[in-house]
Amino acid sequence: MRIVVLFDLDGTVLTFDGASPGPGRVAMRRAVRDWVDLEDATSGVRFAGRTDRAIVRAMLTGAGYRGDLDLAVEEGIARYLVLLADEVRRRPYLPVGDVTGAVTRLRARGACVGLGTGNVREGAAIKLASAGLLASFDLERGGYGSDAEDRSELLRVAAARCAQASFAGAEVVVVGDTRLDVEAARAIGAKVVGVAATVSAREELEEARADAIVEACGEALVAAIEAVTSRRS
Ligand SMILES: [Mg+2]
């Protein structure tokens, strides 16, 4: 199976205990508020499927921030990472199903397993480590919110990094949980397997026409990836 499988993180590989907002969103909100003294800077900003930098930019713009936006985004991300590390100590992330098992089986079948996530790379590492999943992924084989604010662009970066590991020209499968994962995957000509833990996530992925949908990472996911890659498009 000479394919590249790129996993999204939040909602696909990682979940959290308790009610929303999760640790990442809490840290992001605190990072921006703490700095620009905004009241509810996140209202109206959808986090799911977006890249970290794009989220900070949208929060600042939405709150009418008038300073140097690029500089503010960099500063906001730096603060976010410190707060995130602190937040996950109290409330670590959890795997969505048998993530390590799925990755191990995909690699055993010859796939290059990477990440395609809107998280900046350091944030991805903090979240994965808190869920005990850092050793399950090779962070060199990934595209991150620190590589691009646009999701399809970071998937291109991730696929290129896998291509360097002798996977040039291999078919790409994106595993994600939102419409934005599906759209970004289509933009690079990739297949998509959706991970839907909730009814609304499933509806969104069905509407976006994911090639297959499973409930969690595990054997069903590996089977779905095999099915969509053996199918002619
Ligand atoms: Mg996600």
Side-chain angles (χ1 to χ4, degrees):
M1 194 160 60
R2 249 180 61 79
I3 58 167
V4 169
V5 182
L6 301 176
F7 283 85
D8 164 60
L9 277 190
D10 296 289
T12 301
V13 161
L14 300 173
T15 185
F16 50 82
D17 254 343
S20 293
R25 183 163 182 155
V26 168
M28 192 70 91
R29 191 145 69 180
R30 283 174 58 202
V32 176
R33 266 194 189 157
D34 185 38
W35 178 40
V36 285
D37 194 23
L38 304 173
E39 263 314 301
D40 201 13
T42 59
S43 68
V45 176
R46 191 185 171 190
F47 276 55
R50 315 248 331 242
T51 60
D52 284 349
R53 283 204 164 89
I55 292 166
V56 174
R57 194 176 293 277
M59 286 195 294
L60 291 169
T61 309
Y65 181 73
R66 289 177 193 283
D68 183 332
L69 198 54
D70 288 333
L71 203 66
V73 170
E74 291 312 308
E75 179 70 7
I77 291 292
R79 288 185 178 237
Y80 157 71
L81 290 170
V82 174
L83 292 164
L84 178 65
D86 184 51
E87 201 60 42
V88 298
R89 265 192 288 276
R90 271 173 283 142
R91 196 181 174 200
Y93 278 89
L94 304 166
V96 178
D98 182 12
V99 175
T100 300
V103 170
T104 303
R105 278 194 283 276
L106 286 166
R107 286 207 183 108
R109 286 163 164 81
C112 176
V113 176
L115 292 169
T117 168
N119 282 274
V120 294
R121 180 170 163 157
E122 198 181 331
I126 291 169
K127 289 183 179 181
L128 283 168
S130 81
L133 291 174
L134 191 55
S136 298
F137 290 94
D138 176 0
L139 265 56
E140 295 301 318
R141 311 257 177 272
Y144 303 92
S146 36
D147 294 311
E149 278 184 33
D150 176 68
R151 237 190 139 80
S152 57
E153 193 49 43
L154 67 86
L155 287 180
R156 267 191 201 100
V157 170
R161 286 178 180 152
C162 290
Q164 284 169 1
S166 70
F167 278 83
E171 185 169 11
V172 179
V173 181
V174 169
V175 183
D177 70 312
T178 73
R179 166 181 61 80
L180 296 176
D181 293 296
V182 181
E183 288 171 3
R186 296 306 182 211
I188 66 157
K191 292 268 171 57
V192 193
V193 176
V195 175
T198 64
V199 173
S200 63
R202 178 171 284 272
E203 282 170 359
E204 177 172 326
L205 289 165
E206 278 172 359
E207 213 166 289
R209 297 178 161 273
D211 297 294
I213 302 173
V214 297
E215 277 176 19
C217 298
E219 268 190 70
L221 173 64
V222 176
I225 289 169
E226 287 185 326
V228 304
T229 50
S230 60
R231 195 189 300 159
R232 298 215 171 265
S233 46

